[in-house]
Amino acid sequence: MGLAMGVIDVVTAVYPGSFDPVTNGHVDIAERASKVFGRVVVAVLNNPAKDALFTVDERTEMLATALGHLPNVEIAHFSGLLVDFARQHGAQVIVRGLRALSDFEYEFQMASVNRKIGGGIETVFMMTANEYAFLSSSMVKEVARFGGCVRGFVPDHVARRLAEKFRPAR
Amino acid sequence: MGLAMGVIDVVTAVYPGSFDPVTNGHVDIAERASKVFGRVVVAVLNNPAKDALFTVDERTEMLATALGHLPNVEIAHFSGLLVDFARQHGAQVIVRGLRALSDFEYEFQMASVNRKIGGGIETVFMMTANEYAFLSSSMVKEVARFGGCVRGFVPDHVARRLAEKFRPAR
Amino acid sequence: MGLAMGVIDVVTAVYPGSFDPVTNGHVDIAERASKVFGRVVVAVLNNPAKDALFTVDERTEMLATALGHLPNVEIAHFSGLLVDFARQHGAQVIVRGLRALSDFEYEFQMASVNRKIGGGIETVFMMTANEYAFLSSSMVKEVARFGGCVRGFVPDHVARRLAEKFRPAR
Amino acid sequence: MGLAMGVIDVVTAVYPGSFDPVTNGHVDIAERASKVFGRVVVAVLNNPAKDALFTVDERTEMLATALGHLPNVEIAHFSGLLVDFARQHGAQVIVRGLRALSDFEYEFQMASVNRKIGGGIETVFMMTANEYAFLSSSMVKEVARFGGCVRGFVPDHVARRLAEKFRPAR
Amino acid sequence: MGLAMGVIDVVTAVYPGSFDPVTNGHVDIAERASKVFGRVVVAVLNNPAKDALFTVDERTEMLATALGHLPNVEIAHFSGLLVDFARQHGAQVIVRGLRALSDFEYEFQMASVNRKIGGGIETVFMMTANEYAFLSSSMVKEVARFGGCVRGFVPDHVARRLAEKFRPAR
Amino acid sequence: MGLAMGVIDVVTAVYPGSFDPVTNGHVDIAERASKVFGRVVVAVLNNPAKDALFTVDERTEMLATALGHLPNVEIAHFSGLLVDFARQHGAQVIVRGLRALSDFEYEFQMASVNRKIGGGIETVFMMTANEYAFLSSSMVKEVARFGGCVRGFVPDHVARRLAEKFRPAR
């Protein structure tokens, strides 16, 4: 089983999501992925059909700040099919964070479809740290909307952005 | 985000299991892992507390035949803690196949514990192909025990070994 | 382990929900909670973002009729964060009914967040009686909308209110 | 809804388990229960049919040390039906910790049966803190058996007891 | 146990769904049902509250083409309560495909309600073939919307209809 | 879609299980199956590898009493592969009761394997009535072992047999 011929030199992984906004759970997955894969492209989904709190530019900017300490991580955005984006960026792998059970089947459905239409792109799942197991962007927005404290859920600069968004107009 | 300093050159992944015997689902995961990681060590768990049908040597031999086409895959066996084995083999990653829901929580428990006691070893999950989603070594043995056909569930040479094991003595 | 110093005299529990409308499953949980906790505040969520069939006043009135036999149960309504409401009413405990699996992760996410932002408020789960395990307000409304019989799913006075709501205009 | 006639003065809760040995997750649930219920009886199940690592006396002693800071908590042990034990100790409530999904259905089955045969005893579920969501006595024993570090999983005095149990004989 | 008195001669089963559009998974379930039941009525749900891609007529036509090889299968459509439709068509059985876990609880809730309001109509579940376990009409539409290939997911004539729907206007 | 050529006249279904002992949940499924299928063979699994409380003869006898009111139901027993038994009895269908989530994946695994090795035998699932959703033979035996009341869980004649089994010897 000698030489590993044909094994790619640097594996590029895409880590896609809405990141509306990035949470500490997302940061955790990005950090893990950056240790395992040579290059990680964090890909912000631009989905016009879904109401977002932050624009794609705001989300990208918050991600850049939150992940600036990871040298092999880039931020990009996409609309359309994820596998098309992955191919355009030379990625062989899609990374997804699995929190808890509720993610499981949707993620499997996506991975199954992406395998069929993606021509050899593999999906790998990484497990969110326990303390973020029940954390989601939606929950964070719900808490922030009513003035609750979101420290510990998101990076501090994101907490400030959330407070600005929900600050009552005068 | 400049240079990927500190990113490891070749990532070694351990793919542990009982492999009693190896199924087509295991082969599928090993093939996927070999495309994503530079080096994959398939690690046969030697668990004296659990009755196995095949010896560790038989299981290793069947794996070697089933995975011989994958140049960057090695077979080994271990007892004791998986994270100790991983460290000894210079692995940074543990690969686990997720079939269906039933695996989910046990796998998460293991990944959570291995992270705490493993000092930085990451677990990644890969999804078994749909056609193997409900396949397990136990089920294969149960079918073979009563003379049922296990083609499609395991490699042909494993099917022959199963038939020999369960052939009625004269 | 002598004296139970510092243990509160009467534990107040909040039982929150949309109650649009109250079902026999809700009544069941309120009855159980009223046996375990000294004071139970049933809290109707006033969520302008979600289309409700009944107004908060109608829902409160139906709850008052359905739970009138429970002397230590009060009805109130709230918008905003549940933990703020709980603090204002001197509650130490949030009660949630667990029906089946589908509730599980959402409830855990809520309980996890409420613990972090709630400063010591505990969530306890009580199990709905088997016969109500698959009962929900949405399903009841769906059946009533098409003239199906909802006896057994909701108290009789609620069944009448549903029939009035969906009675075809002449 | 005036006076809370008939509401019991001090609610006694039973918190049953094998506790072989007590983990930080068990301690967490006992602490939460002691804040919500006037009196908590931690009940060690003596099940001769199941191989235990520690004797009932050892388990009781470790629990007493781990929970000594909770004045309204007592330790006891039982065999036979839990509802019989609860009745003998004047308990109205059974407390169970829910970790993750895997507990869910077994716990519901038990709660459902205990309600039918228990004559009015209610089961309430409390959620383990996120960091203990994937922690179990079995996993702790498995790690300790092979010399892995169990700090963070169990109280320190339990870690020492585990080390003694698994220390190789000379 | 003698004569099977009172057992119905030909069992009629209703197989309801949105079928927007029919997938290979739906075809698979219809084929299985047609082998087990004497007569199968595939019933297209006309739900004005839910945005459909195809009209009821288009969906019916695609089903007729996809299931034309099954002599004991008819296509119909309905709005209102499924049990009313079933009774009007002399059906004793509702057939539902179970894919994976995500269907489970919703299906059980429906079956439970339909039993109560349906006066003796039984629901039976059939398991989709593994290769369709993660297939859904929504996913197919999502892929087709962005020009992805849906061969293998739907019959060819449906793939053509999807391509027409999403063809950019000039 | 004219004539239903080739559709079988009387569908025979096998309902397999350990039935150690038969519970009211089993009776419920057998009754439902007997309404949907022309002939139902209840098949007692004779598994020497698993300790049973009752012999196959005792289990068969209890089933015969419990299901005596169903004219199109027969009782038999088998060892070996279920699909072989089904073929020998001319059955086209295997019936399984789905209680709750815990059954789900095991049942799907079995159904998937039986389809592959069974040459066209279909598995259909029927849903146990809500009140039996958390009922199992094991739980019933556990309650009976300690003298708890099992009325409502099993037919009365089975309750008597359980009491005899666990009556203390003098």
Side-chain angles (χ1 to χ4, degrees), chain B residues 51 61 84 93 104 123-124 149 161:
Chain B
D51 277 349
E61 190 197 317
D84 289 342
V93 173
F104 189 83
T123 301
V124 307
C149 173
R161 299 292 285 267

Side-chain angles (χ1 to χ4, degrees), chain C residues 23-29 31-32 98-100 103 127-136 152-154, chain D residues 115, chain E residues 109 112 116, chain F residues 130-131:
Chain C
T23 68
N24 286 343
H26 297 134
V27 173
D28 178 59
I29 293 292
E31 287 173 346
R32 293 170 195 282
L98 276 185
R99 282 167 309 182
D103 298 324
M127 187 192 158
T128 314
N130 281 6
E131 62 259 45
Y132 308 132
F134 294 106
L135 182 57
S136 73
F153 297 153
V154 293
Chain D
R115 178 181 303 158
Chain E
Q109 188 183 37
S112 175
K116 286 215 176 133
Chain F
N130 281 6
E131 60 259 44

